[in-house]
Structure formats: C-alpha cells, structure tokens
Amino acid sequence: MISQEFKEMISAPSVIRALSVYATERGKEIGYENVFDYSLGNPSVPVPKELTEAMIELLQTKDSTYLHGYSPNPGNPEAREATAKSLNKRFGMDYKTDHIFMTSGAAGAVAHAVRCVTKPGDEVLTFAPYFPEYNPYINKAGAVLKVVPASTKDFQINFEAFEEMLNEKVMAILINTPNNPSGIVYSSETIRKLADLLRAKEKEYGHEIFIISDEPYREIVFKGVDAPYISKFYDNTLSCYSYSKSMSIPGERLGYVAVNPNCKDAELIVPMCCQISRGTGHNCPASLIQLAVAKVIDKTSDLSVYETNMNILYQELTDLGFECVKPGGTFYIFPKALEEDAIAFSEKAKKYDLILVPSDSFGVKGYFRMAYCVDTEKVYRSLEALRKFVKSEY
Amino acid sequence: MISQEFKEMISAPSVIRALSVYATERGKEIGYENVFDYSLGNPSVPVPKELTEAMIELLQTKDSTYLHGYSPNPGNPEAREATAKSLNKRFGMDYKTDHIFMTSGAAGAVAHAVRCVTKPGDEVLTFAPYFPEYNPYINKAGAVLKVVPASTKDFQINFEAFEEMLNEKVMAILINTPNNPSGIVYSSETIRKLADLLRAKEKEYGHEIFIISDEPYREIVFKGVDAPYISKFYDNTLSCYSYSKSMSIPGERLGYVAVNPNCKDAELIVPMCCQISRGTGHNCPASLIQLAVAKVIDKTSDLSVYETNMNILYQELTDLGFECVKPGGTFYIFPKALEEDAIAFSEKAKKYDLILVPSDSFGVKGYFRMAYCVDTEKVYRSLEALRKFVKSEY
C-alpha cells in the first residue's frame, strides 16, 4: 500500500510554488514579461564565466572516469580542500579538509546537520520569519521544529520569547542569516548575545546545543552591513552553505556542511554525515560541478543587481506608506501588508499582475515577501502596478 | 549531543571500501598497476563521447540560468520525457513523462521507492546474495529488510524459502537483476513465477505487494542471455535505474524511478516522491547532466569489455577448480571460495596482491566477489597471481 503520510503531503502544496505556477499560467495569457512575478527565489544573474570555462576545460582535457567517477563519501577532495582554504582566508577560521562535507545544496546540508546532532523527539528551535521547508527538513529527520515568534520591529532575534522556549530537549538552534524571507542580516550584537545565552544553557542542561547555521545568502550582503561569520562566535556550529545563490547554480545542487574545528566531537561529524547519506539515498553531489567549483572557489556571479533592485523597491514601498525593515542582504524584502490578512492582500495584488507571497507560511502574519531576483528593468515597470494596486485597493 | 546511532555506524565500515583502501595503500608500495584490485564496482570504460559533446555544446550555447537553474521537483521535463520514450520503445511499455521521477542514482531511486510503499515497521524482502547497502536504504526509511537465503546452485530465487518468509507485513520485494554480486540475470521463468506468486499473495492479504526493481546493470547483459524487463511482468512495479554503469557516470548521481502506469495509485507515486525529497534533503539530481543525458538517452559506453573480462576469468576460475555460476551480466563474478571461511580466503589472497571481496556481507557465506571493471590487460596479468595463490594455499 502506498504511504498515507506522503500521500497526505501532496494535498498541501507550497504557497510559493502555487503562486509561481499561477504566474507562469498568467504569463501564457498576457506575456510573462508583463507578470511582475516576485514569487520564487531563483537567481536571475548568469553564472561566473570562469565557472563555465572551467567546466568546458575539464570536459575537453580530463579523463572521463576522473571527471564522472564516484566521489569519496564526504565529497571530492579538491572541492573540500578549496572550500576549507577559502573559509579560512576569508573568515579567519582553521578548517581542515576533514571538516568539510559536500552536500546537495543547503537542503542536503541541513538534512545532514540535523541528523548529526539530534535524536528522534529532540527539539530544534528556529526564529520567525523562517523558510517553511525547515518543517520537512527537521520533522522528517525525527526531531521537532519549534518556531520562536518574530521580533517584527527589526527582524533580529526575539530573545524574550526565545528564552521562554529554551528547555532541556533543545539540541539545536537553526538560524538563517542573511534571512529568507526578511532580507535581514543578524548583527554581531545579536550573534554574540545568542552565543552567550547558548553557552550558559549548555552548562545548565549539561549537554551541547548546536547552532545549525543555514547560510545560502552569505555572499549577498549589501554595502555597509555588519555580516558576522556565525561559527566565529560559537564553537558548536555546523555551517550549512550552498553555491546556488552565489554562483547562480541552484539546479546543480552543490553545498557543504563546515564543522567548526573546536566543536564537540568535531572529528566525528563528517564521518557521521557519510553514514547519514547511506540512509537518505543522497550519496554525494554531482562530480563535475564539484571539480569545477573547486577551481573558481572565490568567484561569484555579479550579485550587485540585487542591491540595485532592493533600493528601488525599498524606496517605492516606503514612499507608498508600507512599513518595511530595510534588507541587509539576500534578494528578498518583507514589508507589512496593508491589511491584516496577508493572503487576501496577495490575492488582490494578482489583479495588478503583482505576485506577492503572503507571510503566513513563514511563521508571521500580516506581511508579504517579494523575491526581487528579476531584471531591474522589470522592477522599474512593476512600480506603476504597485502604485495602482495600493491606490485602488487601500 | 551528537547522534549515537550514526556515531556507532562509523565503527562498522564497509568491507568493500576497506579492501579498496587497502588496495590503494598497497598500490603506493608496489605500484597500483601491480595490485589486482577486484574490490570496487566503479566503471572502467569512458563515457559515451556523445555525452561529453552534448555537455560541451550545452555549456557553449545555452543560457546559464536555463542550464543551471532549479529543476522542477520531479526532475527536468526533457530528461523525464526522453526516459519515458526510450523505455516505451525498448520494452513496449506505456510510460508518460508523469511516471518518471529523476533521482540521485539508483540509491536515491530505491530510497524514494521504499518510502512510497511502506510505513514504519513494514517488511521488505530481498534475495541473497544482495547489495549490502540495501540495509541502510530500507532500515533508515523505517521499514525492516529481511533476506531470503540464496539458491546457490544457480542464484535464481529460492522460492521455497521465499514462500516461508512471506507474510501480511511484507509490502515490497526488492530485487536486483542483473545481480550484484552474483552477476546472474533472473530468467523470464523466475520473474513469471515471482509475479504469479505475488499476485496470489496480494489477493490473500488484501493489499498490494510492490516490486522495487533495482536495475543499474540493466544494460550490461551478455550475449544470448534472457533478460526480461521486470515491470512488463508485474504491474505493481517501481523500476529503479541509474545511468552510473551504462554511461560510466557514477559520480554524477543520475537515475530515476519509473512507475508502471498500471500500478495501484500510479498517478500518486511521482508526486509522493516529490514530498519524500523534502524530508531527505535530496531535491533533484544535478541539472546539466539531466539535460545532457536527455540528448543522448540511448547511448551507452562501450560495455563489451565486461563480457570479455568475464569470459577470461570464468575460464580460468573453472580451470582452477572453482565452482562458479556463469554470470549473465554486470561486471561481477561470484565463485565459491576454496575454504568455508571466505574472510580467511580473501585475507590469504592479499599475499598475492589479489583483492577479492568475501561474500559474508552479501548475505551468503563461503563465496567471494570479483568486480572485473578493470583493464583487460590487467585481468590477464592477474591470472598468474590467481594460479599461484590457489596452488600455494590449497
């Protein structure tokens, strides 16, 4: 018999994906260029040309059994070494190759990290607003995800609510900065306070509390913004990264877990990840992309368009009277809706071909997310629609 | 605290991998060309040149956001459609694109298939000799793998033992033909008998019993061998494939689940696979390789070397007095060891730089596996070592 658990999940499709499907369908009627589709976080800029060149050169010059053969369980050694060196140079860390485990994007990284540091029934806390896929990532690993209410004034951490929710069953804190959907970057002050609190609670409870730091937007940080490297502040940190956004390769599914060399049982985490893969059927990201990324490890796509788009939208939204915390990074902005019911708000916006994601599935009510990974020209064209929408409906 | 479950798994490393590491180390001493390393099933022949050309052409001519963007959840539409058409043409099936779910190799395919058709505590039966990774694939999905003893005279199915083990809790049968490690292909007679028996048991128990057919060696079948397409014989079949062996791209992690259009709830299986991915952090195989494989779907590497190697080894082994069922496909041969303790036998073989995998972890005692995906020249050179080994030790 088919699994009732997964059958039931089919009928609760993602709000984001449903809006994206709507936008595509609407595009067939009026031309997709006329749909102001702010639904999906799909990078809009080309990959670094050096990455394409590296792939072509590898294909033209290297033996195919090397290029496409099995990677060792923890990933390709060149990719792991290049990753460790790059992190050490940029963030003053001391990673060895053995602290890096290559994964299928940040999704694969979080899936491994949570299985490393929880057993079934343990709690993992995260902070609203949060990426809704954390629910299956954590709950299907057997742990229980609990969401700390948002601090809506700045979208930093709501420490009061957090402290109330901390208890002995909490084994990991899942954070995401720069944040999807708010676009906010946690400040050094926030991270320091978080780290101090967790160290105190570790002593109190007599067990480690790991930070699982989900960092796919790490390279998309805007001018002048304080963007601390989390693991630098707290030893028991597993950093989960993806090259999806920084190199615009989300389809290639490449990321890693970087294990802080000073974390508890640091030398066991990567070997444990290898064991975890055996049960999930994941078994390493693809080989060619690992080899190519290793060659151009510090390159990124031209990410400046995201800051350009953010500034245009932030200006217009605040001019129109939206309450909005200015994003420090990512390609998301998260303004307050003009009515309490964000779903109704988003539904009305569709009349103006504006595709806005209501905040409910991010764990906050009354806001909406715009993913501005679209052409700047289209962002400009969307402003008129935004104005019409606000003036006609509110 | 780190997970004790996965920590404990570290200390039980794979016998195959341990032998492979030994072979590599020994190679550093005497030159790897002098180690007759029959440990790993890693394809030794180049990828089809058309595949390399397709990848280069895509990289040179297509927009990078198309090449490397997110695939839809069930996989790239071109890859799914090409797969369905190819299977229909070759095996007279009637797959639509919607019956194909792209996965990270056969490991990912089996991991999804088992979660589709079992709930925690259900039993899955497989037949010895079997691929030992089935243990984590099945048990970490929450089901329970039970192994039907081998029919050592021909390595077809031991139906007597199988019938004894069938019970109401059995929801799936996991078969692997052509088989790793025996190299045997199940005959049409075997499959027909299996299908008839399962249909009768489905009626008796009042629920479906799915066949999960693990078929990574489907294209490596030797001359004149009867190699039936399983799904043709039994509607409730989920076919799990990998391009790893047929195209020599194991590192690229590309495979699929093909859902028999007549199976129970056929239209739900692929959408359920999409839900399953959300919990395992798998989320689609890499995009470029999907696009490239779709363009050359019916190409394979030159697989003829495996039959050449098999014939050389089979002849020599039988000449030396080994009992051995002649392989019908794959790149494995599975002779009976010359003493009861296959581990001791394998240990003695090391003295002659012969790396042979003892059969214990495949669920049979007293046999050994040779993975002859090595250069034919090396196979020839290994014969002298084989002779010396047998004559000196037995």
Side-chain angles (χ1 to χ4, degrees):
Chain A
M1 272 184 305
I2 63 167
S3 156
Q4 294 307 299
E5 175 191 356
F6 292 112
K7 184 181 169 189
E8 279 161 23
M9 282 174 78
I10 301 175
S11 49
S14 147
V15 177
I16 303 174
R17 198 159 278 272
L19 280 169
S20 166
V21 169
Y22 170 83
T24 306
E25 290 304 309
R26 179 69 177 145
K28 288 178 190 161
E29 292 167 29
I30 61 165
Y32 184 71
E33 69 282 7
N34 298 313
V35 183
F36 305 113
D37 181 5
Y38 288 113
S39 64
L40 275 194
N42 211 348
S44 57
V45 295
V47 307
K49 70 175 192 321
E50 295 87 348
L51 179 64
T52 302
E53 288 163 3
M55 280 192 274
I56 293 172
E57 199 199 330
L58 284 166
L59 287 163
Q60 286 175 336
T61 62
K62 298 288 181 185
D63 182 65
S64 72
T65 50
Y66 163 74
L67 287 182
H68 308 296
Y70 280 116
S71 299
N73 288 349
N76 173 278
E78 288 102 313
R80 297 170 70 205
E81 190 185 350
T83 296
K85 283 187 175 163
S86 169
L87 291 172
N88 294 345
K89 187 177 65 187
R90 295 180 55 210
F91 302 116
M93 297 294 292
D94 193 26
Y95 294 114
K96 305 279 186 293
T97 299
D98 282 350
H99 297 117
I100 310 296
F101 178 77
M102 304 307 294
T103 64
S104 289
V110 173
H112 280 82
V114 65
R115 285 168 174 81
C116 278
V117 298
T118 63
K119 60 181 187 309
D122 286 347
E123 288 184 16
V124 176
L125 299 188
T126 197
F127 302 99
Y130 75 105
F131 181 47
E133 287 302 293
Y134 289 167
N135 286 304
Y137 293 176
I138 304 302
N139 296 332
K140 296 292 172 194
V144 180
L145 182 70
K146 301 217 165 166
V147 181
V148 179
S151 165
T152 50
K153 71 176 188 303
D154 57 6
F155 292 119
Q156 299 282 324
I157 288 175
N158 179 343
F159 278 100
E160 204 177 325
F162 180 46
E163 285 199 56
E164 272 176 33
M165 291 176 69
L166 273 170
N167 70 78
E168 292 205 353
K169 283 162 74 182
V170 175
M171 294 295 166
I173 311 297
L174 174 53
I175 66 175
N176 172 221
T177 171
N179 181 265
N180 173 12
S182 75
I184 290 321
V185 183
Y186 288 170
S187 66
S188 297
E189 189 194 336
T190 296
I191 298 302
R192 205 170 285 122
K193 198 168 164 186
L194 174 66
D196 287 344
L197 177 58
L198 291 181
R199 276 186 287 261
K201 290 292 176 183
E202 285 188 324
K203 272 198 193 144
E204 184 183 331
Y205 301 151
H207 64 70
E208 296 79 40
I209 303 174
F210 281 84
I211 289 182
I212 300 174
S213 178
D214 181 28
E215 309 179 355
Y217 301 98
R218 197 179 62 213
E219 315 310 339
I220 312 179
V221 172
F222 304 145
K223 280 186 204 87
V225 173
D226 169 31
Y229 185 69
I230 309 302
S231 198
K232 197 80 190 161
F233 290 70
Y234 188 73
D235 286 347
N236 286 333
T237 297
L238 307 180
S239 304
C240 297
Y241 187 73
S242 168
Y243 291 97
S244 295
K245 318 294 178 180
S246 59
M247 293 203 189
S248 295
I249 52 169
E252 301 298 345
R253 315 301 310 130
L254 184 63
Y256 58 79
V257 178
V259 180
N260 186 309
N262 299 319
C263 92
K264 182 71 162 60
D265 296 315
E267 75 290 355
L268 294 177
I269 304 283
V270 168
M272 282 168 62
C273 284
C274 296
Q275 300 303 321
I276 290 165
S277 294
R278 297 170 67 193
T280 58
H282 150 79
N283 296 106
C284 280
S287 51
L288 177 66
I289 194 74
Q290 289 191 70
L291 291 166
V293 165
K295 287 188 175 295
V296 298
I297 196 89
D298 287 327
K299 299 285 174 196
T300 67
S301 298
D302 177 1
L303 305 169
S304 64
V305 64
Y306 302 132
E307 185 160 6
T308 304
N309 291 355
M310 184 277 289
N311 280 318
I312 297 165
L313 283 171
Y314 179 73
Q315 184 68 49
E316 184 68 31
L317 287 162
T318 48
D319 284 355
L320 284 170
F322 283 92
E323 272 182 47
C324 183
V325 182
K326 191 173 185 178
T330 75
F331 38 58
Y332 304 110
I333 192 165
F334 198 64
K336 193 166 182 182
L338 295 177
E339 60 183 296
E340 271 188 25
D341 183 346
I343 296 168
F345 175 83
S346 160
E347 200 54 38
K348 285 178 193 161
K350 279 185 182 170
K351 282 195 262 172
Y352 304 85
D353 293 312
L354 283 163
I355 313 301
L356 313 175
V357 179
S359 62
D360 301 60
S361 61
F362 301 116
V364 186
K365 284 191 182 296
Y367 289 75
F368 64 98
R369 186 188 82 170
M370 299 174 79
Y372 47 82
C373 36
V374 298
D375 288 346
T376 301
E377 169 275 325
K378 198 170 186 177
V379 174
Y380 274 120
R381 281 195 291 119
S382 76
L383 301 183
E384 186 55 33
L386 259 177
R387 277 175 225 135
K388 257 198 208 162
F389 165 45
V390 171
K391 281 169 192 166
S392 313
E393 303 286 339
Y394 298 96
Chain B
M1 273 185 305
I2 62 167
S3 155
Q4 294 307 299
E5 175 191 355
F6 292 111
K7 184 180 169 187
E8 278 160 22
M9 282 176 76
I10 300 175
S11 50
S14 147
V15 176
I16 301 173
R17 198 158 278 272
L19 279 169
S20 166
V21 170
Y22 169 83
T24 305
E25 290 304 309
R26 179 69 178 147
K28 287 177 190 162
E29 293 168 29
I30 62 166
Y32 184 70
E33 70 281 7
N34 297 313
V35 184
F36 304 114
D37 181 6
Y38 287 113
S39 63
L40 275 194
N42 211 347
S44 58
V45 294
V47 307
K49 71 175 190 322
E50 295 87 349
L51 179 64
T52 303
E53 288 163 2
M55 279 191 275
I56 292 172
E57 199 200 330
L58 285 167
L59 287 164
Q60 286 174 335
T61 62
K62 297 289 181 185
D63 182 65
S64 72
T65 50
Y66 163 75
L67 286 181
H68 309 296
Y70 281 116
S71 299
N73 287 349
N76 173 278
E78 288 102 312
R80 297 170 70 206
E81 190 186 349
T83 297
K85 283 187 175 165
S86 169
L87 291 172
N88 294 346
K89 187 179 65 189
R90 295 179 57 209
F91 302 117
M93 297 294 292
D94 192 25
Y95 293 114
K96 305 281 185 295
T97 299
D98 282 350
H99 297 118
I100 309 296
F101 178 78
M102 304 306 295
T103 63
S104 289
V110 173
H112 279 82
V114 65
R115 285 167 174 81
C116 278
V117 298
T118 63
K119 60 181 186 309
D122 285 346
E123 289 184 16
V124 176
L125 300 187
T126 196
F127 302 99
Y130 74 106
F131 181 47
E133 287 301 292
Y134 288 166
N135 286 303
Y137 293 175
I138 304 302
N139 296 331
K140 297 293 174 193
V144 179
L145 183 70
K146 302 217 163 164
V147 181
V148 180
S151 165
T152 51
K153 72 175 190 302
D154 56 7
F155 293 119
Q156 299 282 325
I157 288 175
N158 179 342
F159 278 100
E160 203 178 327
F162 179 48
E163 284 199 57
E164 272 176 33
M165 290 175 71
L166 273 170
N167 70 78
E168 292 205 353
K169 283 162 74 183
V170 175
M171 294 295 167
I173 310 299
L174 175 52
I175 66 174
N176 173 222
T177 170
N179 181 266
N180 172 13
S182 75
I184 288 324
V185 182
Y186 288 170
S187 66
S188 297
E189 188 195 337
T190 296
I191 297 302
R192 206 170 285 123
K193 197 168 165 187
L194 174 66
D196 288 344
L197 177 58
L198 291 181
R199 276 188 287 261
K201 291 290 176 184
E202 285 189 324
K203 273 198 192 144
E204 184 183 333
Y205 301 150
H207 64 69
E208 297 78 40
I209 304 174
F210 282 83
I211 290 182
I212 300 173
S213 178
D214 181 28
E215 309 179 355
Y217 301 98
R218 197 180 61 211
E219 315 309 338
I220 312 179
V221 173
F222 304 145
K223 280 186 206 88
V225 174
D226 168 32
Y229 184 69
I230 308 304
S231 198
K232 196 81 191 161
F233 289 72
Y234 188 72
D235 287 346
N236 286 333
T237 297
L238 307 180
S239 304
C240 297
Y241 187 73
S242 168
Y243 291 96
S244 295
K245 318 294 178 179
S246 59
M247 293 202 190
S248 295
I249 53 169
E252 300 298 344
R253 315 301 311 128
L254 185 63
Y256 58 79
V257 178
V259 180
N260 186 308
N262 299 319
C263 93
K264 182 75 162 62
D265 295 316
E267 76 289 356
L268 294 177
I269 305 284
V270 168
M272 281 168 62
C273 284
C274 296
Q275 299 304 321
I276 290 165
S277 293
R278 297 170 68 194
T280 59
H282 151 79
N283 296 106
C284 281
S287 50
L288 177 65
I289 193 75
Q290 288 191 70
L291 291 166
V293 164
K295 286 186 174 298
V296 299
I297 196 88
D298 286 327
K299 299 284 174 195
T300 67
S301 298
D302 177 2
L303 304 168
S304 64
V305 61
Y306 302 133
E307 183 159 6
T308 304
N309 291 354
M310 184 277 289
N311 281 318
I312 297 165
L313 283 171
Y314 179 75
Q315 184 67 49
E316 184 68 31
L317 287 162
T318 47
D319 284 356
L320 284 169
F322 283 92
E323 274 182 44
C324 184
V325 182
K326 191 173 186 180
T330 76
F331 37 57
Y332 305 110
I333 192 167
F334 197 64
K336 194 167 182 181
L338 296 176
E339 60 183 295
E340 272 188 25
D341 182 347
I343 296 168
F345 175 83
S346 160
E347 200 54 39
K348 284 178 192 159
K350 279 185 183 171
K351 281 194 263 172
Y352 304 86
D353 293 313
L354 283 163
I355 313 301
L356 313 175
V357 179
S359 62
D360 301 58
S361 61
F362 300 115
V364 186
K365 284 191 182 297
Y367 289 74
F368 64 98
R369 187 190 80 170
M370 299 174 79
Y372 47 82
C373 36
V374 298
D375 288 345
T376 301
E377 169 276 328
K378 198 170 187 175
V379 173
Y380 275 120
R381 282 196 291 118
S382 75
L383 301 183
E384 185 56 33
L386 259 175
R387 278 175 223 132
K388 258 199 206 160
F389 165 46
V390 171
K391 279 166 193 166
S392 312
E393 303 287 340
Y394 297 95

